[in-house]
Amino acid sequence: QVQLVESGGGLVQPGGSLRLSCTASGSVVSIKELAWYRQAPGKQRESVAEFTSDGITIYANSVKGRFVLSRDNAKNTVILQMNNLKPEDTAVYSCNTLVLIDSLGSTWHGWGQGTQVTVSS
């Protein structure tokens, strides 16, 4: 069993910062891939930032230079540091991850519960 827990959302003024965390616990050996998605009301879900299994970090053009993705492998946690936030960043943010769960290479894929980020003055 793997549990995926997100934290760190909230209300912030334009230009402010928030830090989102996504932690995988349970039968977890390591996180192979992880992506943060967001969905604003009336809009399609979009990928914001991701770690690929090749070790590449990819950012959406809309967040490049403002968001930073990092990871703490010891805690099986991926952090999305969001700086210089804009009202258009308002959305529900969810992490989607592929986790290695044993030495045979078995994996688990799932979503976090989502966390609301609101950027407003």
Side-chain angles (χ1 to χ4, degrees):
Q1 280 285 59
V2 178
Q3 295 81 41
L4 209 56
V5 177
E6 300 163 3
S7 62
L11 172 64
V12 65
Q13 291 186 341
S17 298
L18 282 175
R19 188 170 181 261
L20 304 184
S21 295
C22 179
T23 298
S25 62
S27 303
V28 177
V29 175
S30 65
I31 294 176
K32 291 177 62 68
E33 301 173 358
L34 189 139
W36 280 97
Y37 287 81
R38 68 185 180 187
Q39 187 165 21
K43 294 188 176 181
Q44 286 191 326
R45 184 169 60 197
E46 61 173 347
S47 175
V48 175
E50 64 179 287
F51 281 129
T52 72
S53 56
D54 297 328
I56 298 172
T57 305
I58 301 173
Y59 295 98
N61 288 334
S62 58
V63 307
K64 279 182 182 176
R66 300 188 298 122
F67 290 12
V68 179
L69 196 60
S70 62
R71 61 195 298 167
D72 183 337
N73 291 329
K75 297 180 180 179
N76 289 319
T77 295
V78 176
I79 297 164
L80 182 66
Q81 177 67 41
M82 305 186 295
N83 302 315
N84 190 22
L85 283 160
K86 304 175 180 180
E88 52 264 41
D89 294 318
T90 296
V92 175
Y93 286 70
S94 303
C95 61
N96 178 273
T97 186
L98 182 67
V99 172
L100 184 66
I101 60 172
D102 63 30
S103 59
L104 299 178
S106 304
T107 56
W108 176 90
H109 176 242
W111 288 87
Q113 79 279 12
T115 185
Q116 177 69 45
V117 171
T118 303
V119 185
S120 175
S121 54

